[in-house]
Amino acid sequence: MHSPQTALQRSQAKFLSFLASANLSKLGVGSLVVVSLGFVTVVALQIGDRTKVHRLKLAAGAIQGESYVISKAIEQVVEKYHPNIQIEVIKTGGTAENIQQLESNQVQLATAQADVPVGASARLISILYSDKFQLIVPNNSPINQFSDLKGKRIALPKTGGQFQSFLNVAAHFGLAESDFTFVGETELAANEAFLRNQADAAFRVRALVNPSILQLVQNGSARLVPIPQAAAMKIKYPAFEVGIIPQGAYRGNPPIPAIDLATVQVQRTLLAHEKVDPEVIRNITTVIMERRQELADAIPQEDIKPLIANINPPSRDSGLGAPIHPGSQAYYDRDKPSFVQENADFLALILTIVLLLWSWGLQLKRLLVRVQKNAADEYSKKVIHLLNEVPKSNDLRQLETKREDLLKLLTSAVNDLDKDVISEESFQSFRVIWQIALDTVRERRITLYQQQSPSLPPPQVSRTP
């Protein structure tokens, strides 16, 4: 039985034997096999990723809200074109809850008012539509401007993004939360309180012709109050924009509102968690931006369909707090020239220089090979000259001199090999001729010795020095 050390030595010997016997063609086949396996692995991973089912939850606010309705349309159309992306739309209490669930990764997608701060994990996909700040009061109310709300009852739940937006506007006009009484734990309860005259005003951040606002004003018993100075508020709240509620937006005759009203507007955005696969987000973004008609067709409410026309890419300088998701950014940058296209001239110059240097390198290499071959040829010529003179030599001393000359040539050639004056290949060619010459000198010496001293044994002359 062989010891472990002996077995290890045998394995090493087999490996070294394989390396010694391997040729370039074998190595080429091995490399081809490795590359092929790597290619097959990459393709398999890509196919697996394309067929993997991605299940996402989308926090979208109240069921009757525009965000929820549009989110359901997005769910339907995305799943139509990308069956491996399964979206579940979740009803919530509004923007604040949406953002909280997105940050904790309870949901992977969320709608949100742009003026409500988001967490570090939120990333923008798109702008869905614009929300208007809408202040509603009874027709007979003395309230004509926002500052008149001090000390009044406001039909507004003390939760969600709407509440925070109200406080931001109040702060601009020098008012605080303690200056108001808030009525209604939910938006539905707040609406009922306003309709029962249990509130002096209602505040909403909603798209125009929102059903809940329409419910408050459609019978003509309520009116809208302007909220001016949006441009000034934008200084402190970058997401705020100047907006207008057009005359007759809620009723044409008599018009509600009676004239165009100045107000504040913010964007309603679609967000994603930063950890969602960029390719999944890119596919969702593609559907949102390129399938708008199908999105509108998937919305049953006629008054919400027009909002689809407002879907737009987020702007970097829009004041929106979150960065754009890499998947969405890849879609928005699809028409931008690549790095190679943008720097084609510079890259062409670099390529020209590289090719020029490579060409010079080849020429220098050829020149070096030629010089090395010439040097080796000189050694070979000297050996051949000595070889031709050996048969003519009839003196042992002459033969010994020639032998010494051969040894000197070998020593000189070895030195030149170390200095790269001659190449390894040329040296081996010279070595063969040199060995023939040395063997010829040896045989000639034996022949002459036997002729001159036939009774003595031939001299012992080594084959190589």
Side-chain angles (χ1 to χ4, degrees), residues 62 66 93-96 113 115-116 131-134 136 155-169 182 186-188 190-191 202-207 210 212-213 268:
E66 295 90 346
T95 293
Q113 290 176 211
D115 61 320
V116 179
D131 276 328
K132 309 284 186 180
F133 289 15
Q134 301 179 62
I136 306 102
L156 176 65
K158 295 181 65 174
T159 58
Q162 291 185 114
F163 181 69
Q164 185 59 54
S165 297
F166 179 88
L167 294 182
N168 290 340
V169 175
F182 295 96
T186 65
E187 188 170 318
L188 180 60
N191 278 7
F203 179 83
R204 298 288 180 268
V205 180
R206 291 288 182 262
N210 175 269
S212 66
I213 299 177
R268 178 72 61 163

Side-chain angles (χ1 to χ4, degrees), residues 48 86 99 109 180 182 202 236 277 302 310 359 380 393 401 448:
Q86 299 292 315
I99 291 174
L109 304 170
F180 312 98
F182 295 96
K236 186 174 182 180
D277 187 339
E302 292 297 326
N310 295 315
S359 177
S380 297
S393 301
T401 301
L448 288 179

Side-chain angles (χ1 to χ4, degrees), residues 279-352:
E279 187 61 25
V280 172
I281 296 301
R282 176 168 182 155
N283 290 334
I284 293 174
T285 307
T286 302
V287 168
I288 291 173
M289 302 305 298
E290 298 182 3
R291 304 288 177 180
R292 300 191 192 194
Q293 185 58 54
E294 292 181 61
L295 289 173
D297 293 341
I299 296 174
Q301 294 90 330
E302 292 297 326
D303 55 337
I304 297 180
K305 288 179 183 286
L307 294 180
I308 297 299
N310 295 315
I311 294 177
N312 278 298
S315 173
R316 293 183 183 275
D317 57 354
S318 63
L320 304 178
I324 300 175
H325 195 284
S328 296
Q329 191 66 62
Y331 172 80
Y332 297 133
D333 291 343
R334 67 196 183 284
D335 294 328
K336 289 186 177 180
S338 65
F339 175 82
V340 173
Q341 292 172 322
E342 286 185 332
N343 300 275
D345 293 340
F346 179 69
L347 293 176
L349 176 62
I350 292 178
L351 181 60
T352 302

